[in-house]
Amino acid sequence: KTTTAAALLASLHRRGARVLGVDLDPQGSLGFSLGLDIERCLTVYEVFRGEVEPQQAIAHTDSGDILPSNILLSGAELEFNRPGREFLLKTALSKVEQNYDYIIIDTQPTRDSQILSNAIAAADYVLIPMQCDAFSEDSAFRTYSICSKLSKDPASRLKGIGVVLTMVDKGAATRETREECKSELGSALFEAEIPMALAVKSSVRKCVPVCYSARTQPVGRSYAALYKELKERLDKLEEN
């Protein structure tokens, strides 16, 4: 999930797009993987509390701008228990979105949370990375179903949903998962797939997106294909 967000952010930035990554995971993995000291940064938590403006918390990296997160965000479910809490991110981003061509939001793994609701409420498109196992498949299908219902709401800005298979290998379980996804999701399933690769862990340690650190390897080429396919889908949505 975070690897995919970082790779797409870096790919867009490298091609000249103005990009912002928003980390909504209390582990702060997106900012950390791009080299930020998340314990010393202002974060999305302070923005939600109204202590700072979004512009003040945005940090700059070689892969684009980042609105980071850290463990303080873990208390959001209880602390921000007030009307309109699901629109905290949407309100914050409205103050900076004119400065960017793309904003990529990285969420925590759970599908049922106020933080995830904030991400979906702010999003034009939801991309669901899905590992090839039964638990991830069930979670991805549920998230896809929730997003599909929201996209039909006239008040929602959500225009599209996609699912991409990750940690793909040549095993029977992967083949079964792929066929089930094709049957269940149809065109929402991306053709690009991300293979399992040790280079992913290495890229995190180096604080370099895998699309850079392993660009000549299968996983790097797969992320390039994912970027291209996602860009085409987003361009079609803009045309419509």
Side-chain angles (χ1 to χ4, degrees):
K1 178 182 57 61
T2 297
T3 300
T4 298
L8 292 174
L9 190 76
S11 296
L12 288 162
H13 179 71
R14 187 176 187 179
R15 290 163 175 80
R18 301 172 301 162
V19 292
L20 171 65
V22 179
D23 196 344
L24 284 190
D25 188 341
Q27 294 184 63
S29 300
L30 181 61
F32 176 80
S33 69
L34 296 178
L36 292 181
D37 184 348
I38 59 174
E39 299 307 320
R40 295 179 179 272
C41 293
L42 292 172
T43 70
V44 69
Y45 172 76
E46 284 86 10
V47 174
F48 283 176
R49 283 176 61 89
E51 296 174 356
V52 299
E53 291 296 317
Q55 298 92 325
Q56 296 173 274
I58 290 173
H60 307 289
T61 78
D62 291 339
S63 298
D65 289 354
I66 302 291
L67 180 54
S69 175
N70 61 28
I71 195 62
L72 292 173
L73 190 62
S74 61
E77 298 292 329
L78 296 176
E79 184 171 352
F80 303 116
N81 188 18
R82 59 178 185 263
R85 60 188 180 274
E86 67 271 26
F87 300 115
L88 288 169
L89 181 63
K90 184 177 181 180
T91 299
L93 293 182
S94 70
K95 300 178 181 180
V96 297
E97 62 183 357
Q98 70 277 4
N99 299 328
Y100 298 99
D101 300 308
Y102 299 93
I103 297 176
I104 295 179
I105 305 167
D106 183 30
T107 68
Q108 58 189 160
T110 179
R111 67 174 181 266
D112 301 314
S113 74
Q114 180 184 309
I115 294 176
L116 180 59
S117 296
N118 263 267
I120 294 174
D124 296 297
Y125 190 94
V126 171
L127 177 63
I128 305 169
M130 191 189 96
Q131 296 180 23
C132 293
D133 61 61
F135 177 78
S136 296
E137 182 178 349
D138 177 67
S139 181
F141 284 178
R142 286 176 181 269
T143 302
Y144 177 81
S145 177
I146 291 169
C147 291
S148 294
K149 291 176 181 177
L150 286 173
S151 67
K152 297 177 175 62
D153 186 337
S156 172
R157 65 183 291 170
L158 190 59
K159 301 174 183 176
I161 312 138
V163 176
V164 58
L165 297 181
T166 67
M167 300 185 74
V168 171
D169 59 25
K170 297 180 180 180
T174 290
R175 292 195 296 272
E176 291 174 7
T177 298
R178 183 186 292 115
E179 292 307 312
E180 289 174 4
C181 287
K182 286 180 179 179
S183 175
E184 191 76 22
L185 302 172
S187 61
L189 181 66
F190 274 61
E191 292 184 15
E193 298 180 352
I194 309 302
M196 187 176 293
L198 293 176
V200 172
K201 290 183 179 180
S202 175
S203 72
V204 173
R205 287 197 301 270
K206 295 176 181 177
C207 297
V208 178
V210 70
C211 60
Y212 290 169
S213 63
R215 62 180 179 274
T216 61
Q217 298 180 33
V219 66
R221 294 195 297 271
S222 295
Y223 270 118
L226 175 62
Y227 160 80
K228 182 178 179 181
E229 188 174 353
L230 176 62
K231 187 71 167 56
E232 290 173 351
R233 292 190 183 213
L234 294 178
D235 288 345
K236 286 182 181 179
L237 288 177
E238 288 298 318
E239 291 172 3
N240 296 332

